[in-house]
């Protein structure tokens, strides 16, 4: 029987030499693999009160939308700067390849709402940390964070756990 990691393609030297890019589009393209991933990502949250799912750009939108649908809750995107049409708040952060800014609509989350943060991959944790800070600035309470892949050597899990976050990942890969 196939495991989640069996559906994930590795592309060597992308986007830079020395990087082993973990490509989840092959997982998303396979109906059994995609269903397995969504079901497994949902499993830890059975019976847990969640008001909204927040997806981190861009693959977090695919996962977050499917998870929000299954939970019958709302979905909120956290996007790269300049992509959201309404009033936003911003957070800068560093990532594996440089610096970036993410934004969320300033009315997307109400104080006290229980939030699940979702993305495909946890590397250094910079994007997730920025998203968490935005959610907390709006008064949201983060229930957990969920990822398909953890790259433990890059320290993202440790960073998020040091912030008091629960981290769930379906699989881990060694290396960059």
């Amino acid at each position: 029987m196939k495991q989640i990691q069996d559906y994930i393609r590795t592309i060597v030297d992308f986007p830079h030499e020395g990087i082993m890019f973990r490509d989840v589009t092959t997982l998303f393209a396979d109906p059994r693999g995609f269903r397995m991933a969504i079901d497994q990502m949902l499993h830890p949250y059975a019976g847990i009160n969640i008001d909204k799912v927040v997806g981190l750009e861009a693959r977090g939108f695919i996962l977050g939308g499917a998870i929000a649908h299954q939970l019958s809750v709302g979905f909120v995107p956290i996007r790269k700067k300049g992509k959201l049409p309404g009033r936003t708040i911003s957070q800068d952060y560093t990532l594996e390849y440089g610096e970036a800014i993410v934004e969320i609509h300033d009315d997307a989350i109400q104080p006290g709402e229980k939030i699940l943060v979702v993305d495909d991959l946890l590397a250094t944790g910079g994007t997730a940390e920025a998203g968490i800070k935005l959610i907390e600035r709006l008064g949201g309470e983060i229930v957990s964070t969920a990822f398909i892949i953890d790259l433990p050597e890059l320290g993202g899990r440790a960073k998020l756990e040091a912030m008091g976050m629960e981290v769930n990942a379906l699989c881990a890969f060694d290396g960059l």
Side-chain angles (χ1 to χ4, degrees), residues 107-124:
D107 60 355
I109 294 171
Q110 301 307 307
E113 285 187 314
K114 307 289 188 231
I115 308 298
L116 172 62
V117 178
V118 175
D119 203 0
D120 68 319
L121 180 117
L122 178 59
T124 65

Side-chain angles (χ1 to χ4, degrees), residues 94-173:
T94 57
L95 63 164
E96 301 92 316
Y97 320 118
E99 296 181 357
I101 299 172
V102 289
E103 296 179 322
I104 189 172
H105 280 126
D106 66 0
D107 60 355
I109 294 171
Q110 301 307 307
E113 285 187 314
K114 307 289 188 231
I115 308 298
L116 172 62
V117 178
V118 175
D119 203 0
D120 68 319
L121 180 117
L122 178 59
T124 65
T127 307
E129 178 185 28
I132 288 164
K133 287 178 179 179
L134 288 171
I135 294 162
E136 289 177 339
R137 283 170 49 197
L138 293 176
E141 298 174 16
I142 295 150
V143 171
S144 185
T145 61
F147 305 89
I148 293 175
I149 301 167
D150 181 17
L151 301 178
E153 292 176 32
L154 295 179
R157 176 184 285 272
K159 178 185 280 188
L160 297 186
E161 288 174 345
M163 294 174 67
M165 296 295 120
E166 176 183 86
V167 177
N168 288 301
L170 302 185
C171 65
F173 285 96

Side-chain angles (χ1 to χ4, degrees), residues 34-45:
F34 188 54
R35 177 174 290 282
M36 181 189 305
I38 298 303
D39 290 348
Q40 288 181 17
M41 290 181 86
L42 281 164
H43 182 74
Y45 310 109

